[in-house]
Amino acid sequence: MTTSSTINPAATAIPSQPRLGLPKLVWALAATHFVGRAGGVVRSFLVLYLTQAQHLSPATAGAVVAAVGLGDIGSQLLGGWLGDRIGRRNTMLVGFVGAAVALAALGSADSMPEIWAAAVGVGLTIELFRPAGSAAVADLPAQQRIRAFGLLYWAANLGFSVATVTAGILAKYGYGLLFWINVVASLAAALIVWRLVPETRPAGSMRTRQALLPVLLRDRLMIAMMAIHVGYFTLFLQTFTTLPLLMTADGLGPATYGAVLALNGIAIVVLQPLAVRLLAGRNAYAVSAVSMLLVGVGAALGAISHGTAGFAGSVVIWTLGQIGIAVRFGDTFADLAPAELRGRYMGLASTTWSIGAVIGPLAGTALLDLAGPTVLGSVCAIGGIALFAAQRALAPALRRRTAAQDEPGPSVR
């Protein structure tokens, strides 16, 4: 599918090609992803801030963090809706500026009502940019999307790697510093959007005002893809809560866990650009299916491993699967989206991650606690195989949808 004929003229007036055949829009979005993630130092230390600085109980602190996570789900839907209504650029500005205000409020809140309100505000604003930015990339011609989505994912992970290193060092100077760094980073990202990111929303989308729900309820293929990806993200994200528990039970300390987990970020930063070149011309649905299988195998291996080498090997395997999904995730859902609903479809796609982030840790830890690591490993392996089979089964319908997008007629099958 190509969208170059529907891009807002204001966007096409921006000179576009300097590096890797990608427009300046993509490099500007990559800069916002890097700055936002590199300065996103609060979230990883929020539990420690709430328990040590605010003297909340672990259960209450966990509930506050969960409120931020649940807000993420709403922000994905809201970001997609706003992206189609007020534009991709305006939505990103609202998200970054709103997140700066919410983070400042959370860092200065003293009472529980203030903390709860600010936490909800953080959850609703901090991820608004994601579906809007994804929709802006989805507005590009199809041949540019894979490289563009890959660059955004790489920039975000590079920023996350910077954040995880610097946050631990800076936390000893006080948690207040972390909040202000995060606020400044959000405002800096907003400045990049304001100065460098043009609007890309298709010109006719304001006039159509097409409702999402009636289209989505008829779009069984989109619903099936969302279900598969909720399953994938549940399987994938449970590893981040069960892995430290498994390593601790094996007698390995936090430093070893940190070193093993660092392999994930290092592999992404090193291998992601290579993966984009290798996988761009491959069958997208086969790549996704194999990647899901790799995540299942890696998670299963981690559940039954003993020793640093075994756990490190499991992380490398599921990281390879993670990279494969990331390379094709954005353009796969972009191909499913009607042009006038592109922002909302990309918001729904991002919501699958948020739902998995809620279900995965709960399901993984409960299964580990109630049934033990062997059963957890078996379930992960079976889950990977089931996701592989489901993604392969949908491949013919996905190919037909992609081919139909280039033909006249607005049908959704």
Side-chain angles (χ1 to χ4, degrees), residues 49-121:
Y49 163 73
L50 293 170
T51 54
Q52 295 179 8
Q54 293 290 353
H55 308 293
L56 302 182
S57 69
T60 303
V64 172
V65 174
V68 177
L70 289 173
D72 277 354
I73 298 175
S75 74
Q76 305 292 353
L77 298 174
L78 181 61
W81 183 82
L82 287 174
D84 285 336
R85 290 301 180 102
I86 68 173
R88 295 33 165 149
R89 180 177 183 270
N90 289 335
T91 300
M92 286 185 274
L93 287 172
V94 169
F96 283 124
V97 174
V101 173
L103 285 163
L106 182 59
S108 59
D110 291 322
S111 67
M112 281 310 301
E114 292 175 342
I115 291 173
W116 282 114
V120 172

Side-chain angles (χ1 to χ4, degrees), residues 134-154:
S134 295
V137 172
D139 292 332
L140 295 171
Q143 63 270 23
Q144 293 181 337
R145 288 185 197 144
I146 297 174
R147 293 195 304 273
F149 279 118
L151 178 62
L152 297 190
Y153 182 74
W154 181 85

Side-chain angles (χ1 to χ4, degrees), residues 6-282:
T6 61
I7 297 295
N8 188 312
T12 57
I14 303 294
S16 70
Q17 292 307 8
R19 287 162 287 182
L20 301 183
L22 293 174
K24 289 183 178 179
L25 161 71
V26 177
W27 291 97
L29 289 173
T32 66
H33 278 60
F34 173 75
V35 170
R37 294 303 187 201
V41 291
V42 166
R43 201 159 183 177
S44 298
F45 284 77
L46 186 55
V47 169
L48 295 178
Y49 163 73
L50 293 170
T51 54
Q52 295 179 8
Q54 293 290 353
H55 308 293
L56 302 182
S57 69
T60 303
V64 172
V65 174
V68 177
L70 289 173
D72 277 354
I73 298 175
S75 74
Q76 305 292 353
L77 298 174
L78 181 61
W81 183 82
L82 287 174
D84 285 336
R85 290 301 180 102
I86 68 173
R88 295 33 165 149
R89 180 177 183 270
N90 289 335
T91 300
M92 286 185 274
L93 287 172
V94 169
F96 283 124
V97 174
V101 173
L103 285 163
L106 182 59
S108 59
D110 291 322
S111 67
M112 281 310 301
E114 292 175 342
I115 291 173
W116 282 114
V120 172
V122 170
L124 286 174
T125 56
I126 203 165
E127 294 292 335
L128 275 184
F129 78 94
R130 186 191 298 273
S134 295
V137 172
D139 292 332
L140 295 171
Q143 63 270 23
Q144 293 181 337
R145 288 185 197 144
I146 297 174
R147 293 195 304 273
F149 279 118
L151 178 62
L152 297 190
Y153 182 74
W154 181 85
N157 276 280
L158 181 61
F160 178 76
S161 299
V162 172
T164 54
V165 172
T166 57
I169 297 172
L170 295 174
K172 65 183 180 182
Y173 298 106
Y175 292 108
L177 179 61
L178 298 185
F179 279 96
W180 285 114
I181 289 173
N182 217 151
V183 167
V184 171
S186 293
L187 293 176
L191 181 62
I192 294 171
V193 172
W194 180 56
R195 294 297 303 270
L196 299 177
V197 175
E199 183 54 67
T200 67
R201 182 181 51 178
S205 59
M206 277 295 291
R207 294 192 296 271
T208 59
R209 294 280 185 175
Q210 188 170 6
L212 172 65
L213 188 58
V215 176
L216 179 64
L217 291 177
R218 296 194 304 269
D219 194 347
R220 289 175 292 180
L221 187 55
M222 177 64 176
I223 293 172
M225 282 290 284
M226 289 178 62
I228 288 174
H229 280 80
V230 167
Y232 159 72
F233 284 118
T234 297
L235 174 61
F236 168 59
L237 293 171
Q238 66 82 29
T239 60
F240 288 90
T241 51
T242 56
L243 181 63
L245 298 176
L246 290 162
M247 293 184 67
T248 298
D250 201 50
L252 301 173
T256 305
Y257 167 67
V260 168
L261 192 60
L263 292 173
N264 173 250
I266 294 170
I268 289 171
V269 171
V270 173
L271 297 178
Q272 176 78 9
L274 177 62
V276 170
R277 291 195 293 270
L278 290 177
L279 301 179
R282 305 282 181 177

Side-chain angles (χ1 to χ4, degrees), residues 13 55 70 121 152 155 198 308 328 331 334 345 381 400:
H55 308 293
L70 289 173
L152 297 190
T308 303
R328 302 313 301 260
D331 72 299
Y345 262 58
R400 288 194 298 270

Side-chain angles (χ1 to χ4, degrees), residues 342-390:
R342 194 169 287 139
R344 278 164 281 184
Y345 262 58
M346 298 310 290
L348 288 170
S350 296
T351 301
T352 62
W353 184 94
S354 299
I355 295 173
V358 174
I359 299 174
L362 295 174
T365 51
L367 192 60
L368 179 61
D369 183 51
L370 295 174
T374 302
V375 173
L376 174 64
S378 299
V379 171
C380 289
I382 293 170
I385 294 170
L387 291 168
F388 172 85

